[in-house]
């Protein structure tokens, strides 16, 4: 038995309310297990927030026999049985994989079940069709847990700011990347060790390359972008860079210049088009994002009238994410009993706008550049010439000691604000120089003024 889930006296088998809502839980991984425990520990508290009672009726997991053997539940390896069980009112999808989840959600909607999912890849890739099917069948789709763990960002956009014009969302939205960068910055921990620790603590995805290569953050920023600007998911046109190329050297050089390195997702409304991008950034060590340690997430939402609002909290981990699933459970129950349908109507009634998605080459930023060059006279002048050809001014330059007489010298530059296409051309020209040893690495600079 992997988990101690076969307690005989479980709270959620007791009956407190008027009518009984029956739940099917699909997926007993990190979040599924926390959700299971949360229901049990807080059953009475949850029941006091709704007019009905609820009961966990069925649990599906591909290794169900290793995880639970309690006969009070319908236990199955096949989640589709949950979608097809006529007794189940609410399906909680915590499987994670896309194909099975899509089939589960689609069948559940057809069978008029309310849905809760933490699956960001599913919503970022198939949200448009899922919301449209849900609207036709008037079922609730709760996906608060898909972005930023316990932070109620979906609710904030869809409900609290539904009457506002949002102009940008900027956030540290991958807890694992933030944890790794924080460990590398503050504990001199190696990348691979920090990743192992993040996996052990249940922060990383089943395939952690999604955390490292920016895919996970791209799913999340696409969801936020679609909701904030009422567009179709911009995932396919989202610019994606991860943290895999960041070295301890970059962290050290950035620190010498007064910066730390973070990984962010950004979506903005500029000149009637939308930007959607995820990549590392340098932020000043006085910037508000510099105080986002560990697995924490920070998100700043900006609007034309309300200014900036920042949300901060645990962005990953079983308990934090399960808390968002439980919040959705209340909304799903209220939707089913017509107590409060406003939240799901926000998704259902979104008018789809047709804004262009801006090419990353057109986005203007300041840049950090790390260049490895031979220690020869004239090399620095040649580099600055290549930048000048693209009309790029330099704000700061530092040259570091080589490891030994034969190794290249690391040169670090901070540029003024420049369009992506111009820095790209300059880097291509610098890399073509005979005395440049490695690919130039560049990181955008973010200023949360
Ligand atoms: N792997 C994700 C993260 C989990 O690290 O942010 C929460 O979505």
């Amino acid at each position: 038995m992997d988990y101690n889930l076969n307690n005989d006296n479980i709270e959620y088998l007791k009956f407190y309310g008027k009518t009984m809502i029956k739940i099917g839980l699909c997926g007993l991984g990190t979040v599924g297990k926390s959700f299971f425990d949360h229901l049990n520990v807080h059953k009475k508290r949850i029941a006091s927030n709704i007019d009905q009672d609820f009961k966990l009726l069925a649990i599906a997991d591909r290794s169900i026999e290793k995880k639970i053997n309690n006969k009070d539940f319908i236990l199955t390896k096949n989640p589709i049985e949950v979608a097809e069980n006529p007794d189940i009112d609410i399906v909680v999808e915590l499987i994670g994989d896309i194909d099975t989840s899509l089939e589960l959600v689609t069948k559940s909607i057809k069978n008029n079940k309310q849905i809760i999912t933490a699956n960001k890849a599913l919503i970022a890739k198939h949200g448009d069709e899922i919301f449209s099917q849900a609207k036709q069948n008037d079922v609730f789709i709760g996906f608060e847990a898909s972005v930023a763990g316990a932070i109620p960002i979906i609710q904030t956009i869809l409900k609290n700011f539904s009457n506002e014009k949002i102009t940008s969302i900027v956030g540290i939205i991958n807890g694992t990347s933030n944890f790794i960068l924080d460990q590398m910055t503050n504990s001199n921990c190696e990348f691979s060790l920090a990743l192992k620790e993040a996996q052990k603590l249940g922060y990383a995805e089943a395939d952690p390359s999604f955390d490292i290569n920016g895919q996970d953050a791209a799913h999340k920023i696409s969801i936020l972008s679609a909701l904030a600007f009422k567009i179709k998911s911009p995932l396919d046109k989202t610019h994606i860079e991860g943290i895999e190329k960041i070295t301890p050297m970059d962290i050290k050089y950035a620190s010498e210049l007064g910066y730390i390195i973070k990984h962010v997702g950004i979506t903005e409304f500029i000149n009637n088009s939308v930007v959607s991008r995820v990549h590392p950034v340098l932020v000043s060590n006085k910037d508000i994002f510099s105080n986002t340690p560990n697995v924490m997430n920070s998100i700043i939402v900006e609007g034309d009238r309300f200014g900036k609002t920042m949300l901060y909290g645990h962005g990953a981990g079983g308990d934090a994410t399960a808390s968002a699933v439980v919040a959705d459970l209340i909304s799903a129950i209220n939707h089913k009993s017509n107590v409060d349908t406003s939240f799901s109507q926000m998704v259902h009634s979104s008018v789809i706008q047709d804004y262009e998605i801006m090419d990353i080459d057109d986005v203007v930023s300041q840049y950090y550049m790390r260049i490895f060059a031979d220690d020869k006279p004239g090399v620095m002048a040649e580099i600055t010439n290549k930048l000048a050809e693209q009309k790029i001014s330099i704000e700061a330059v530092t040259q570091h000691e080589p490891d030994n007489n034969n190794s290249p010298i690391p040169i670090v530059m901070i540029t003024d604000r420049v369009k992506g296409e111009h820095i790209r051309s300059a880097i291509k020209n610098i890399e073509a120089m005979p005395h440049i040893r490695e690919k130039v690495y560049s990181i955008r600079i973010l200023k949360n003024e």
Side-chain angles (χ1 to χ4, degrees):
M1 204 59 44
D2 287 355
Y3 301 134
N4 181 21
L5 295 183
N6 56 348
N7 190 331
D8 287 339
N9 186 24
I10 3 190
E11 185 66 31
Y12 44 59
L13 296 174
K14 293 177 189 158
F15 189 63
Y16 295 102
K18 298 174 190 164
T19 51
M20 181 65 86
I21 303 271
K22 296 179 201 91
I23 302 166
L25 166 61
C26 300
L28 268 183
T30 305
V31 182
K33 180 188 178 297
S34 286
F35 174 72
F36 183 101
D37 291 343
H38 195 131
L39 286 192
N40 197 28
V41 172
H42 286 310
K43 169 76 199 279
K44 275 191 207 154
R45 179 184 292 271
I46 298 169
S48 73
N49 284 328
I50 47 181
D51 207 22
Q52 263 91 9
D53 206 343
F54 63 87
K55 169 185 163 72
L56 185 56
L57 182 67
I59 307 175
D61 187 278
R62 65 183 169 193
S63 308
I64 193 80
E65 73 289 351
K66 290 192 199 143
K67 298 187 175 174
I68 184 166
N69 67 4
N70 191 312
K71 301 279 181 297
D72 291 316
F73 304 108
I74 300 168
L75 300 176
T76 173
K77 280 175 178 284
N78 180 6
I80 304 306
E81 283 177 18
V82 175
E84 284 172 349
N85 183 330
D87 292 333
I88 286 181
D89 303 296
I90 299 176
V91 172
V92 180
E93 184 282 300
L94 301 176
I95 297 172
D97 132 281
I98 294 224
D99 292 342
T100 316
S101 300
L102 183 60
E103 191 186 347
L104 170 66
V105 167
T106 307
K107 287 213 164 116
S108 299
I109 294 173
K110 267 199 197 119
N111 293 332
N112 290 307
K113 300 183 192 312
Q114 320 298 315
I115 313 288
I116 298 165
T117 177
N119 194 328
K120 48 240 149 165
L122 179 75
I123 297 296
K125 287 188 180 162
H126 300 287
D128 301 330
E129 55 192 270
I130 290 172
F131 295 147
S132 146
Q133 290 163 6
K135 182 178 180 176
Q136 278 169 21
N137 285 32
D138 188 31
V139 304
F140 171 85
I141 305 283
F143 52 102
E144 185 65 71
S146 65
V147 181
I151 299 177
I153 182 66
I154 305 287
Q155 169 94 0
T156 301
I157 296 174
L158 282 180
K159 210 164 178 179
N160 304 67
F161 289 151
S162 61
N163 302 307
E164 301 286 348
K165 181 176 175 192
I166 293 174
T167 50
S168 70
I169 300 176
V170 181
I172 294 173
I173 49 176
N174 183 268
T176 302
S177 293
N178 199 53
F179 180 84
I180 293 171
L181 291 174
D182 191 52
Q183 292 284 307
M184 288 171 74
T185 306
N186 296 316
S187 310
N188 277 331
C189 181
E190 273 178 38
F191 191 108
S192 57
L193 278 181
L195 172 58
K196 265 197 195 127
E197 183 67 9
Q199 287 176 288
K200 203 174 97 194
L201 292 166
Y203 303 153
E205 296 303 295
D207 177 357
S209 60
F210 274 47
D211 295 297
I212 307 306
N213 65 20
Q215 286 289 337
D216 178 81
H219 293 145
K220 291 169 181 167
I221 204 68
S222 298
I223 295 172
L224 298 184
S225 184
L227 299 179
F229 304 120
K230 301 194 184 306
I231 54 174
K232 287 188 185 264
S233 168
L235 181 64
D236 290 347
K237 294 183 179 160
T238 295
H239 173 78
I240 306 174
E241 287 173 49
I243 60 167
E244 61 274 72
K245 292 187 187 153
I246 298 168
T247 63
M249 208 183 282
D250 295 313
I251 289 173
K252 179 168 162 269
Y253 297 158
S255 158
E256 285 167 13
L257 292 161
Y259 293 98
I260 62 169
I261 305 181
K262 293 286 184 190
H263 186 266
V264 295
I266 299 178
T267 186
E268 294 168 279
F269 191 68
I270 307 176
N271 301 333
N272 241 25
S273 57
V274 171
V275 179
S276 178
R277 53 186 167 121
V278 300
H279 49 71
V281 287
L282 260 63
V283 293
S284 152
N285 54 22
K286 296 191 181 69
D287 188 281
I288 197 154
F289 275 3
S290 70
N291 286 325
T292 305
N294 236 307
V295 72
M296 305 307 281
N297 281 189
S298 290
I299 307 176
I300 298 175
V301 185
E302 183 165 14
D304 64 342
R305 298 186 66 84
F306 66 89
K308 290 186 179 184
T309 294
M310 178 160 160
L311 294 96
Y312 174 87
H314 281 268
D319 287 350
T321 311
S323 123
V325 178
V326 173
D328 275 346
L329 180 65
I330 306 291
S331 302
I333 292 172
N334 285 339
H335 181 89
K336 183 159 171 56
S337 52
N338 285 321
V339 174
D340 177 9
T341 56
S342 58
F343 182 60
S344 42
Q345 272 163 8
M346 296 292 170
V347 180
H348 293 171
S349 66
S350 291
V351 183
I352 297 294
Q353 303 284 352
D354 200 16
Y355 300 125
E356 288 274 308
I357 306 299
M358 190 187 270
D359 194 291
I360 192 71
D361 270 357
D362 291 327
V363 175
V364 175
S365 308
Q366 268 190 285
Y367 283 85
Y368 156 99
M369 287 199 298
R370 182 241 297 154
I371 303 166
F372 281 107
D374 291 330
D375 195 4
K376 300 270 183 232
V379 170
M380 184 69 95
E382 214 182 322
I383 293 171
T384 52
N385 272 345
K386 300 292 181 206
L387 292 169
E389 279 167 21
Q390 299 297 326
K391 302 196 168 36
I392 301 172
S393 306
I394 301 161
E395 194 179 86
V397 185
T398 53
Q399 182 177 317
H400 295 264
E401 288 296 311
D403 284 347
N404 58 54
N405 284 346
N406 289 325
S407 44
I409 48 161
I411 298 169
V412 168
M413 291 185 166
I414 303 285
T415 71
D416 275 345
R417 283 167 60 76
V418 50
K419 254 191 176 187
E421 63 174 311
H422 296 143
I423 198 87
R424 207 161 47 80
S425 300
I427 287 176
K428 200 168 138 217
N429 295 339
I430 292 169
E431 284 172 346
M433 286 168 45
H435 294 299
I436 299 299
R437 292 273 194 101
E438 284 182 19
K439 289 256 174 216
V440 174
Y441 185 47
S442 65
I443 306 179
R444 291 169 186 80
I445 295 178
L446 175 72
K447 289 187 175 154
N448 286 307
E449 275 119 17

